[in-house]
C-alpha cells in the first residue's frame, strides 16, 4: 500500500487524478526490505532425569521364570531430559532443570556428564539423597516393560525456578523464549511458575 500512496501523492500533486492501476504497476517501486531472521529459540526443559537400566531379551519371561539377557546397557532417561537432548540435536539451545541426588553422587555425575555431552546446559537442584530415580526396562522385540522407582528424591519447589526478567542479576535465564514442563506431582509449583512465565512473555508447553 505504501508505494501506491506515494505514487498517488506524486500524481495528485500534478493533475489531481487517481492513477490508473496499470500506471501504478508500470511505475518503479522501492525494494522490499528483507525480513529480519526470527530470533533463535532458547528452551528450558523442566522435569525428571533418571538412570535407565535396559536389558534386551528374546521374549518377555513368564512369571517366576529365569532367563538370560542378550545385552545390558545403562543410559540417561526421563521425559524432560530426553526431550532436551532431542531439541539440542535439532539445533535449539536448551537448558534442563530438575532435581538430582547429592552433587558428588555417581548417579548425578552420570546424568550431568551425559546431558552436557549432548550439548544441553544443566541446571540441577541437588536433593540430598544418594540415588536418582531409576527405571529397569526389560525390552523384547515386540514390547518393553518398565519398573520405575522414584525413591526419596524431592520434586522442584516454587523457589527453584529461575526468573526470566533479569531480577537475579544474571543474563542466562533472561534469554529463555520457551519453557517446556513435564507434568509431575508438584502441580502447585508448576502451575504458579507456568503462569508467571506466560506473564513474562515466554511460550509455555506442558507434557501430561
Amino acid at each position: 500500500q505504501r508505494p501506491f500512496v506515494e505514487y498517488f501523492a506524486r500524481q495528485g500533486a500534478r493533475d489531481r487524478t487517481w492513477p490508473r492501476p496499470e500506471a501504478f504497476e508500470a511505475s518503479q517501486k522501492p525494494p522490499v526490505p528483507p525480513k529480519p531472521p526470527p530470533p533463535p529459540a532458547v528452551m528450558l526443559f523442566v522435569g525428571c532425569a533418571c538412570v535407565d537400566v535396559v536389558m534386551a531379551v528374546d521374549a518377555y519371561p513368564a512369571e517366576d521364570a529365569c532367563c538370560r539377557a542378550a545385552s545390558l546397557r545403562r543410559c540417561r532417561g526421563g521425559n524432560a531430559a530426553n526431550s532436551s537432548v532431542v531439541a539440542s540435536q535439532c539445533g535449539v539451545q536448551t537448558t534442563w532443570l530438575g532435581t538430582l541426588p547429592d552433587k558428588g553422587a555417581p548417579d548425578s555425575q552420570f546424568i550431568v556428564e551425559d546431558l552436557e555431552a549432548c550439548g544441553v546446559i544443566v541446571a540441577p537442584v541437588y536433593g540430598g539423597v544418594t540415588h536418582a530415580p531409576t527405571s529397569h526396562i526389560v525390552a523384547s522385540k515386540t514390547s518393553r516393560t518398565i519398573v520405575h522407582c522414584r525413591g526419596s528424591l524431592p520434586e522442584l519447589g516454587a523457589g527453584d525456578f529461575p526468573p526470566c526478567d533479569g531480577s537475579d542479576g544474571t543474563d542466562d535465564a533472561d534469554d529463555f523464549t520457551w519453557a517446556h514442563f513435564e507434568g509431575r506431582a508438584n502441580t502447585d509449583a508448576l502451575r504458579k511458575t507456568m503462569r508467571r512465565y506466560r506473564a513474562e512473555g515466554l511460550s509455555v508447553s506442558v507434557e501430561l
Side-chain angles (χ1 to χ4, degrees):
Q1 294 177 353
R2 183 175 178 180
F4 188 84
V5 171
E6 292 175 349
Y7 180 84
F8 173 70
R10 293 194 300 270
Q11 290 291 103
R14 185 170 62 248
D15 54 18
R16 303 285 183 177
T17 60
W18 186 269
R20 295 186 305 277
E22 56 269 21
F24 169 70
E25 293 297 335
S27 64
Q28 184 176 2
K29 302 172 184 64
V32 178
K35 292 183 179 180
V42 181
M43 295 189 65
L44 173 68
F45 288 85
V46 180
C48 181
C50 60
V51 176
D52 287 350
V53 180
V54 184
M55 292 174 287
V57 295
D58 295 331
Y60 190 79
E63 184 179 356
D64 202 28
C66 179
C67 70
R68 292 182 180 272
S71 64
L72 182 145
R73 61 188 176 94
R74 186 170 180 260
C75 57
R76 171 260 318 141
N79 288 14
N82 290 344
S83 297
S84 69
V85 170
V86 173
S88 178
Q89 292 172 341
C90 293
V92 178
Q93 181 179 331
T94 61
T95 297
W96 172 82
L97 170 66
T99 54
L100 287 179
D102 290 330
K103 189 173 184 179
D107 285 353
S108 295
Q109 296 177 358
F110 174 75
I111 292 172
V112 169
E113 291 174 0
D114 184 275
L115 288 172
E116 290 180 341
C118 295
V120 177
I121 301 171
V122 183
V125 176
Y126 294 102
V129 299
T130 56
H131 294 287
T134 303
S135 294
H136 290 269
I137 304 170
V138 179
S140 67
K141 296 180 179 179
T142 58
S143 67
R144 64 172 183 169
T145 299
I146 303 174
V147 180
H148 179 74
C149 179
R150 170 75 183 177
S152 56
L153 185 68
E155 298 281 3
L156 291 168
D160 295 327
F161 296 93
C164 297
D165 56 1
S167 59
D168 59 350
T170 64
D171 59 0
D172 53 345
D174 309 350
D175 296 331
F176 294 137
T177 59
W178 187 350
H180 177 75
F181 294 82
E182 176 187 346
R184 300 195 59 80
N186 53 339
T187 52
D188 289 339
L190 294 179
R191 185 183 299 110
K192 292 178 182 178
T193 304
M194 286 190 285
R195 288 174 175 170
R196 175 164 62 89
Y197 282 0
R198 287 185 64 184
E200 293 173 359
L202 273 70
S203 298
V204 173
S205 57
V206 59
E207 175 187 357
L208 299 177

